[in-house]
Amino acid sequence: MNMISAEPQPATRTVTVDLAGRSYPIHIGPGLLDQAGRHIGPHLKNRRCTIVTDETIAGFHLSTLMENLRDDGIDCRTVILPPGEKTKSFANLESVCSQLLASGLDRSDMVVALGGGVIGDLAGFAAAVVLRGIGFVQIPTTLLAQVDSSVGGKTGINTSHGKNLVGAFHQPVLVLADTALLDTLPEREVRAGYAETVKYGLIRDEAFFDWLTDNYDAVLSGDHAARIHAVEMSCRHKADVVAADEHERGMRALLNLGHTFGHAFEAETGYSDALLHGEAVALGTAMAFRMSHRLGLCSENSVARVEQHLTKVGLPTRVANIPVDRTSADQILAHMAKDKKAMGNTLAFILVRGIGDAFVSRDVEPDFLRKFIQDELNRQ
Ligand code: NAD
Ligand code: GLY
């Protein structure tokens, strides 16, 4: 389905997430961090906010943000956490909430999440629960966060029971996606974020997939117009889906293409740098296409196009491409059962009839699934 078409233009763009009284803009373009005070100021009743970020991002971008906010007369405090997926924990949630409370905040205070999906999810969740909910702004600093996690209000943490199993839907009041911040992002992280970008083409917009196959190099190498276009298209799709199904009672589940398999491999590698979230999603996406083909739903040609594209981008498409050994179909299924709890106790798969045509299926037979996973693990 070709939902949205537009040619890339190198200028700041705005996409609106339309949620009636809780609608908010996503501004996209280079240099937005230098205008943060102008955008955030109108949301502050008491001219103060708390920035939550990680040590790595703080080293690159925190001083620019703080200087700009102070120039606009905004008083800001900071909470700086270690980088990495393990930061999305109960312990850090407690730490962020305690630091917010110790600062004497009230309900009109604002949290500013300056970071990737880890900081956005954690800081957003802290904002959702502290004082029963205060406002928050997303300033996404990774490609993954700009195209996906900063938009739509899913916030949360990981627990020993699985990924993202404790959290809340809490929409930000504003998203500032400064595409220039991606210039300091390591190449591997850019590629990982690309997996969540190409997802929109694979789910619902074949023309966007085609645009990416022609322009992926420009997106990866830092061409600003290409990056703005990729982020804008992704945010348009995400905003569209979230406006239609904010709480994932239906079509929003399509955004989980590749995630059921992906989460299982993330768990298998201990949520470590061995396998980044976006890399796991890429592998899971290729598996979803292969599974759809085996079920007779999509052509071999579609599978080949997806595998070839992800491989060109430098993303894993087979279990043999990721650092996991000595696992078993039972172990992968056990990890997947944890996702199941979050999906109404039936294992949901996002399957495809082709590129741009995804749907939710709860009908995959357990024996078929076990055999499919076993074959994937045996495949070189
Ligand atoms: P991340 O937040 O861990 O960031 C990746 C790494 O890049 C970190 O080490 C960080 O310090 C560093 N970094 C971030 N911005 C930088 C910059 N501009 N320059 C240099 N270094 C920078 O990872 P991520 O890929 O952004 O997010 C992954 C998380 O997002 C996962 O926990 C996943 O579950 C979550 N997620 C949430 C949603 C949602 O809707 N809420 C959607 C997709 C993914
Ligand atoms: N990243 C999936 C969602 O926001 O629903």
Side-chain angles (χ1 to χ4, degrees), residues 220-377:
L220 294 177
S221 64
D223 177 276
H224 278 280
R227 280 191 175 168
I228 292 168
H229 184 67
V231 174
E232 182 193 357
M233 289 296 286
S234 302
C235 288
R236 285 199 185 285
H237 280 296
K238 181 128 190 201
D240 207 21
V241 171
V242 169
D245 179 24
E246 182 182 3
H247 296 113
E248 199 172 301
R249 301 212 164 90
M251 75 186 288
R252 184 165 180 169
L254 297 177
L255 299 179
N256 298 330
L257 175 68
H259 285 60
T260 302
F261 291 125
H263 285 170
F265 287 102
E266 273 187 276
E268 196 58 29
T269 48
Y271 303 111
S272 70
D273 283 355
L275 183 66
L276 302 179
H277 175 70
E279 294 168 342
V281 167
L283 169 62
T285 298
M287 287 175 70
F289 268 78
R290 286 193 289 271
M291 189 157 101
S292 301
H293 174 58
R294 199 188 275 199
L295 287 165
L297 293 164
C298 99
S299 70
E300 201 169 354
N301 178 261
S302 296
V303 179
R305 282 170 68 201
V306 173
E307 287 178 340
Q308 278 161 17
H309 183 57
L310 294 176
T311 304
K312 265 193 196 161
V313 166
L315 286 164
T317 61
R318 290 170 194 277
V319 181
N321 302 148
I322 66 165
V324 61
D325 53 12
R326 269 189 237 127
T327 187
S328 65
D330 280 340
Q331 212 158 310
I332 299 299
L333 283 164
H335 292 308
M336 286 166 60
K338 290 173 179 166
D339 259 23
K340 188 167 135 180
K341 287 184 211 150
M343 294 185 283
N345 223 27
T346 57
L347 208 45
F349 284 95
I350 312 309
L351 299 178
V352 287
R353 298 183 193 92
I355 292 171
D357 188 3
F359 66 99
V360 183
S361 167
R362 295 181 186 272
D363 301 329
V364 177
E365 293 289 336
D367 290 347
F368 170 91
L369 179 61
R370 179 181 300 275
K371 174 84 172 69
F372 174 76
I373 293 172
Q374 193 57 62
D375 291 347
E376 288 285 318
L377 296 179

Side-chain angles (χ1 to χ4, degrees), residues 66-357:
M66 290 182 74
E67 276 163 30
N68 185 272
L69 293 175
R70 282 181 182 151
D71 285 352
D72 270 57
I74 297 165
D75 175 30
C76 43
R77 287 151 293 190
T78 57
V79 175
I80 303 178
L81 298 160
E85 185 68 35
K86 290 198 170 79
T87 292
K88 262 174 67 171
S89 66
F90 269 121
N92 282 316
L93 176 68
E94 183 181 0
S95 166
V96 175
C97 288
S98 297
Q99 290 184 66
L100 288 170
L101 292 168
S103 72
L105 87 170
D106 62 47
R107 279 218 181 117
S108 63
D109 270 81
M110 187 71 65
V111 168
V112 176
L114 174 71
V118 165
I119 290 298
D121 282 11
L122 174 66
F125 188 33
V129 294
V130 80
L131 300 181
R132 298 200 177 91
I134 63 171
F136 85 115
V137 171
Q138 289 269 20
I139 305 186
T141 63
T142 63
L143 181 60
L144 182 140
Q146 295 193 355
V147 299
D148 192 353
S149 63
S150 66
V151 176
K154 276 191 184 175
T155 71
I157 55 172
N158 305 327
T159 77
S160 57
H161 294 276
K163 202 170 152 64
N164 298 332
L165 291 183
V166 173
F169 286 97
H170 186 52
Q171 300 291 343
V173 299
L174 166 72
V175 181
L176 291 179
D178 182 340
T179 46
L181 303 186
L182 305 180
D183 293 347
T184 58
L185 191 64
E187 205 185 309
R188 184 179 170 205
E189 296 287 353
V190 177
R191 278 199 299 270
Y194 187 91
E196 299 275 28
T197 312
V198 74
K199 167 177 97 173
Y200 298 102
L202 298 175
I203 291 169
R204 65 199 308 262
D205 186 353
E206 186 172 11
F208 183 45
F209 176 77
D210 290 340
W211 183 85
L212 285 168
T213 56
D214 291 339
N215 293 279
Y216 73 94
D217 219 11
V219 175
L220 294 177
S221 64
D223 177 276
H224 278 280
R227 280 191 175 168
I228 292 168
H229 184 67
V231 174
E232 182 193 357
M233 289 296 286
S234 302
C235 288
R236 285 199 185 285
H237 280 296
K238 181 128 190 201
D240 207 21
V241 171
V242 169
D245 179 24
E246 182 182 3
H247 296 113
E248 199 172 301
R249 301 212 164 90
M251 75 186 288
R252 184 165 180 169
L254 297 177
L255 299 179
N256 298 330
L257 175 68
H259 285 60
T260 302
F261 291 125
H263 285 170
F265 287 102
E266 273 187 276
E268 196 58 29
T269 48
Y271 303 111
S272 70
D273 283 355
L275 183 66
L276 302 179
H277 175 70
E279 294 168 342
V281 167
L283 169 62
T285 298
M287 287 175 70
F289 268 78
R290 286 193 289 271
M291 189 157 101
S292 301
H293 174 58
R294 199 188 275 199
L295 287 165
L297 293 164
C298 99
S299 70
E300 201 169 354
N301 178 261
S302 296
V303 179
R305 282 170 68 201
V306 173
E307 287 178 340
Q308 278 161 17
H309 183 57
L310 294 176
T311 304
K312 265 193 196 161
V313 166
L315 286 164
T317 61
R318 290 170 194 277
V319 181
N321 302 148
I322 66 165
V324 61
D325 53 12
R326 269 189 237 127
T327 187
S328 65
D330 280 340
Q331 212 158 310
I332 299 299
L333 283 164
H335 292 308
M336 286 166 60
K338 290 173 179 166
D339 259 23
K340 188 167 135 180
K341 287 184 211 150
M343 294 185 283
N345 223 27
T346 57
L347 208 45
F349 284 95
I350 312 309
L351 299 178
V352 287
R353 298 183 193 92
I355 292 171
D357 188 3

